[in-house]
Amino acid sequence: MEKPFAYGSYVFGDNFTDRVKETKRISANFNAGINTILIAPRRQGKTSLVNHVIEGMDNPSIKIITMDIYDCRSEYDFYERFASEIVKATAGKIENISRTVSDFLGRITPKISLSPDASNEFSLSLGISPKTVSAKEALDLPERIATRKNVHIIVCIDEFQQIGEFPNSLDVQKRIRGIWQLQKNVSYCLYGSKKHSMEKLFQSRKMPFYQFGDMIFMEKIPTEDWVKYICSRFERFGKSISIQQAQHICEKVENYSSYVQQYAWSVMVEAKDTVTDEDLENGFKSLMNQVSALFVEQTAGLTSYQMNFLRALSDDIHSGFTSAEVLTEYRLGSKSNVARLQKSLIEKELIEKIGNGYYFIDPLLKAWIKTAAPR
């Protein structure tokens, strides 16, 4: 089934728009065996971009493996996920799993669980622990397989910022970097949904993954490209929207990819044949209703000082927070408290510092704080 607009999941086919420059660069990196670090805020389509690049790859000597480590909580959680996905992707057929494990991981007995439906999907558990497999054995697995099979393997890891949350994280990062940087037949594409955490891992000179690969910062898709896409999708599905109305959709959500698609769909649902300004308004109300529960959850544990700081940002105050006027009007406490507020809200991935100012990462959080957040 063709979707007019896609959000909340990976975007494929006609629902994928623009990203020509990023696609070209990542494709070049993949073909040249160069590590890639992809950084952008949430809802900007990082995973969809990587999948789009993979769809366009046609080099038979390159094997691409994808995995998500969002739910990995420790070093050996990661090794289990890493090795299991490598084995699944390189074994070819399910009947080759045991032989692959035996060839490359020796003493481990794999546990295979088949899907109850007819999709032929299966899950694999290797039971990796410090007693069965060393860190080096697990991390060097793709290199050994690539060498044996005479291919180049690209390992794409989503939510890579989880590495920074592991116990003894710095030691873990040193171990991983120390082994990966010596591999000749494997390259990595690392990305995640927490921009601040990813920047901390890869931009600090003190961190093991500093200068690990080609850093790509995804910018927002330009309004003119979004407008062409929105208008064409409305036309394709038998409805009409003006260029100005399409521009309004982009500007209202500050060109955030997922929100552009979600808002456009909400408007399409509201409209009959031709979009009206009332449709735009009702579509935005529908969009805000859909995301309000998320914002309630994100702000539930914030202190009154933190909420007051967000209210100042929602009133378009981006600097000068230590002035007597701002401190008093927004009840931010002392001047020294402002620095603590900024640091904590950045770590919570709610705001970011751009130049000398502070801004919401999520444009709809700004709208919610201004109109719907409890006081």
Side-chain angles (χ1 to χ4, degrees):
M1 180 182 296
E2 183 180 8
K3 298 179 181 179
F5 296 96
Y7 60 91
S9 61
Y10 304 149
V11 177
F12 298 97
D14 290 341
N15 290 118
F16 190 92
T17 184
D18 195 67
R19 298 298 183 200
V20 175
K21 180 176 67 174
E22 294 94 337
T23 298
K24 180 179 179 181
R25 184 166 166 186
I26 296 173
S27 296
N29 285 354
F30 280 11
N31 280 298
I34 295 173
N35 296 328
T36 301
I37 315 300
L38 189 58
I39 294 181
R42 294 185 185 95
R43 301 185 181 93
Q44 291 286 49
K46 293 179 293 296
T47 305
S48 295
L49 172 59
V50 173
N51 288 335
H52 178 67
V53 172
I54 293 172
E55 285 181 335
M57 294 288 291
D58 59 0
N59 189 334
S61 66
I62 293 177
K63 176 71 176 178
I64 303 177
I65 302 169
T66 62
M67 65 185 73
D68 189 319
I69 64 167
Y70 178 76
D71 57 346
C72 293
R73 295 293 178 265
S74 68
E75 179 178 6
Y76 270 83
D77 277 355
F78 171 66
Y79 296 156
E80 169 70 28
R81 178 67 47 79
F82 183 78
S84 295
E85 295 300 330
I86 297 295
V87 169
K88 283 175 64 177
T90 57
K93 299 179 180 179
I94 191 170
E95 54 264 32
N96 295 335
I97 292 288
S98 294
R99 183 191 306 163
T100 301
V101 173
S102 177
D103 286 348
F104 295 99
L105 293 172
R107 54 196 174 276
I108 283 187
T109 301
K111 295 180 180 179
I112 302 171
S113 300
L114 296 174
S115 173
D117 58 33
S119 64
N120 293 322
E121 289 293 326
F122 66 94
S123 61
L124 174 65
S125 174
L126 298 176
I128 287 179
S129 72
K131 294 181 179 180
T132 59
V133 173
S134 69
K136 186 177 189 313
E137 285 179 295
L139 292 168
D140 218 24
L141 179 62
E143 174 70 10
R144 288 184 285 128
I145 293 176
T147 302
R148 177 85 65 86
K149 293 180 177 289
N150 195 30
V151 296
H152 184 87
I153 290 177
I154 301 170
V155 183
C156 300
I157 305 180
D158 201 353
E159 304 297 354
F160 190 77
Q161 77 280 340
Q162 284 301 117
I163 297 286
E165 303 297 323
F166 293 170
N168 303 314
S169 173
L170 196 59
D171 291 335
V172 176
Q173 292 176 51
K174 289 177 181 177
R175 274 192 286 277
I176 297 173
R177 170 71 189 257
I179 293 169
W180 283 359
Q181 69 183 0
L182 299 177
Q183 295 176 347
K184 299 178 180 179
N185 301 298
V186 182
S187 55
Y188 295 86
C189 178
L190 309 175
Y191 48 108
S193 62
K194 295 184 178 181
K195 180 184 177 186
H196 172 69
S197 300
M198 289 291 288
E199 289 176 337
K200 183 178 178 181
L201 284 176
F202 293 102
Q203 288 192 287
S204 172
R205 293 177 181 271
K206 299 178 181 179
M207 301 301 285
F209 274 96
Y210 178 67
Q211 290 190 335
F212 180 68
D214 183 27
M215 298 277 289
I216 299 177
F217 293 86
M218 285 177 64
E219 299 177 353
K220 296 175 183 177
I221 295 174
T223 298
E224 56 267 29
D225 293 327
W226 272 126
V227 168
K228 292 176 185 176
Y229 171 76
I230 293 169
C231 291
S232 68
R233 299 306 286 173
F234 270 81
E235 182 180 0
R236 184 175 181 84
F237 286 85
K239 297 189 179 185
S240 175
I241 186 172
S242 70
I243 290 175
Q244 291 73 24
Q245 289 169 330
Q247 288 173 338
H248 173 84
I249 289 174
C250 300
E251 292 166 1
K252 195 74 172 176
V253 297
E254 298 181 13
N255 288 33
Y256 268 61
S257 297
S258 180
Y259 285 153
V260 171
Q261 301 246 24
Q262 190 171 359
Y263 185 14
W265 169 241
S266 295
V267 172
M268 182 177 279
V269 171
E270 293 289 334
K272 292 182 179 179
D273 296 321
T274 302
V275 173
T276 66
D277 290 345
E278 184 179 1
D279 295 330
L280 291 175
E281 184 178 345
N282 290 335
F284 190 72
K285 288 179 181 178
S286 173
L287 174 59
M288 290 302 298
N289 286 337
Q290 294 175 60
V291 298
S292 287
L294 170 64
F295 296 147
V296 170
E297 180 182 351
Q298 287 181 344
T299 59
L302 298 185
T303 66
S304 58
Y305 285 128
Q306 289 171 327
M307 287 299 295
N308 290 342
F309 189 91
L310 294 181
R311 290 190 179 98
L313 281 191
S314 72
D315 287 338
D316 291 323
I317 295 174
H318 302 291
S319 60
F321 297 99
T322 58
S323 69
E325 181 181 354
V326 174
L327 286 173
T328 301
E329 181 177 354
Y330 292 97
R331 303 189 300 279
L332 298 179
S334 64
K335 291 183 178 181
S336 60
N337 192 45
V338 169
R340 289 192 289 271
L341 293 174
Q342 292 166 341
K343 183 175 184 293
S344 65
L345 291 171
I346 287 175
E347 289 176 347
K348 292 179 182 293
E349 303 280 344
L350 296 177
I351 68 172
E352 61 182 337
K353 186 176 182 182
I354 302 175
N356 294 321
Y358 293 84
Y359 298 84
F360 283 99
I361 291 177
D362 190 321
L364 292 190
L365 177 58
K366 174 182 178 180
W368 184 80
I369 290 288
K370 200 169 183 65
T371 61
R375 292 182 177 266

